[in-house]
Amino acid sequence: MEIDGDSIYSYYVEKGGEIFREKLTDHVKEALSTVSCSKQSKISQYIEKILGSIDIRFAEAVRLSIIFHDIGKIFYQKNYKYDKIHNKRYLSFTGHEFLSSYIFNKFAFRLANSETLSKMLSACNFSILFHHHAILFRRHAMNLKYRTSPYREPITVGKAVVDDVKIERLKILNQFLKSSEVEPWRAAINDVEVEVKKSKDVNAFIGSVVSSMFSPQGLGSKIWRIFISDSIFRKTSLALLSTLLVADYFSALKLRPESKPSTFHNVLREFYSYYLSNTFTEPKK
């Protein structure tokens, strides 16, 4: 069965005659509701204290990270794979975080209306770029670039052609944006759409985004250099990444039938309870 052409899916599995799917909008909505990161939360107070003067509050940065962390999945809506061991057909989103970071960067510069980004917006991009494979990240990127273990196959989106990638569908995220963010987002979507069409090959476009991330002047390299050299940026980035992981994981745990509690779940649960909220309600299936 093919995917509904009007939706963007962040999870899709066909197994045992059943279809399990999660719309990107549902994933974002649940993630936003999972994390209550108010001004009173310990982590928010700490980050805003060390940053001093800020243009974006920590809670707002969390909101942006959650909204944009999976937008790269727009390129993977026809990237079906088959798992013989578990007898299931599914959508693979391998490497989507690079594309999410690439698109968010365009939005962030439009939003800031400046040639430089604030530490908070740059930290948002760090959390988006690193929300998968935060450990041994460069090795992960090289695996994707050179098509080596553990990714034996090239990072592609199947047989998708340029016309299959409906970038304009990303406008469905407008429902989560403030009025001042809608126009920068519209402009960013248009920028990406133009670049994809110019490439004339979706897989080549994705390959160029991944490869350029870690060129000397690439987005990933720039973010990493700031992370290494600036201790305040490093703390801010890790705080945002940790918070995004909590929101992402617990949203998936609730909405995706194959997701089960794990040791990692217990770690995130404790992080949430101590740093983000005075109380914790276990997500229910």
Side-chain angles (χ1 to χ4, degrees):
M1 181 176 290
E2 295 299 314
I3 276 181
D4 173 6
D6 294 326
S7 300
I8 301 173
Y9 285 93
S10 48
Y11 174 88
Y12 184 95
V13 172
E14 297 175 17
K15 183 178 181 180
E18 293 186 272
I19 298 176
F20 306 99
R21 49 193 168 189
E22 171 197 86
K23 291 182 180 180
L24 177 59
T25 49
D26 292 337
H27 179 57
V28 170
K29 185 177 181 179
E30 182 61 32
L32 288 171
S33 68
T34 298
V35 178
S36 75
C37 191
S38 66
K39 291 186 241 181
Q40 287 71 41
S41 69
K42 294 177 183 178
I43 197 167
S44 179
Q45 291 182 56
Y46 173 71
I47 294 300
E48 293 187 6
K49 179 180 179 181
I50 64 173
L51 280 175
S53 176
I54 56 174
D55 57 339
I56 298 177
R57 304 197 73 87
F58 184 77
E60 289 301 301
V62 169
R63 179 180 61 85
L64 291 175
S65 297
I66 290 173
I67 292 170
F68 291 104
H69 77 285
D70 273 349
I71 53 177
K73 290 184 177 181
I74 185 69
F75 288 92
Y76 295 77
Q77 298 300 296
K78 290 185 178 292
N79 193 33
Y80 293 103
K81 304 289 184 182
Y82 186 74
D83 182 341
K84 294 181 180 179
I85 296 176
H86 299 99
N87 191 27
K88 65 180 181 180
R89 183 174 182 250
Y90 65 99
L91 280 179
S92 171
F93 300 106
T94 301
H96 75 272
E97 65 272 23
F98 296 97
L99 292 155
S100 296
S101 173
Y102 157 81
I103 299 173
F104 176 79
N105 192 57
K106 292 186 175 297
F107 164 75
F109 272 102
R110 292 278 188 174
L111 181 66
N113 193 27
S114 170
E115 293 183 0
T116 58
L117 294 183
S118 67
K119 285 185 179 180
M120 199 68 91
L121 280 175
S122 295
C124 280
N125 209 340
F126 176 95
S127 68
I128 292 169
L129 184 58
F130 285 78
H131 81 276
H132 287 293
H133 306 282
I135 300 174
L136 301 178
F137 182 73
R138 283 184 177 276
R139 182 180 299 176
H140 170 57
M142 292 303 102
N143 286 336
L144 293 175
K145 182 178 179 181
Y146 295 113
R147 307 175 183 182
T148 59
S149 177
Y151 300 102
R152 302 291 181 182
E153 299 179 1
I155 174 173
T156 65
V157 289
K159 298 179 181 179
V161 296
V162 169
D163 288 341
D164 289 330
V165 183
K166 307 294 185 182
I167 302 296
E168 70 275 6
R169 273 194 256 162
L170 286 172
K171 291 177 183 177
I172 62 175
L173 295 177
N174 285 3
Q175 62 188 281
F176 304 112
L177 300 177
K178 293 182 174 180
S179 58
S180 60
E181 297 165 346
V182 172
E183 178 54 29
W185 180 225
R186 183 201 63 77
I189 290 173
N190 288 343
D191 287 347
V192 175
E193 197 167 29
V194 168
E195 292 187 15
V196 172
K197 288 181 177 178
K198 188 186 297 184
S199 74
K200 299 181 180 180
D201 185 316
V202 179
N203 290 317
F205 172 79
I206 291 174
S208 69
V209 169
V210 174
S211 298
S212 65
M213 273 285 167
F214 294 97
S215 66
Q217 295 304 314
L219 175 60
S221 296
K222 289 179 180 178
I223 291 175
W224 186 253
R225 283 197 293 269
I226 301 172
F227 181 82
I228 292 299
S229 62
D230 188 327
S231 63
I232 293 179
F233 176 76
R234 186 160 58 248
K235 292 175 182 177
T236 305
S237 297
L238 291 176
L240 273 172
L241 174 60
S242 299
T243 306
L244 174 58
L245 289 177
V246 169
D248 191 24
Y249 182 90
F250 281 111
S251 176
L253 185 64
K254 182 173 182 179
L255 299 177
R256 302 174 191 177
E258 291 189 324
S259 297
K260 305 294 182 185
S262 62
T263 301
F264 185 55
H265 159 264
N266 292 331
V267 172
L268 294 181
R269 185 180 186 279
E270 289 185 7
F271 180 90
Y272 183 107
S273 299
Y274 187 76
Y275 291 108
L276 297 173
S277 177
N278 293 324
T279 60
F280 181 80
T281 303
E282 192 75 27
K284 298 184 184 302
K285 288 283 186 179

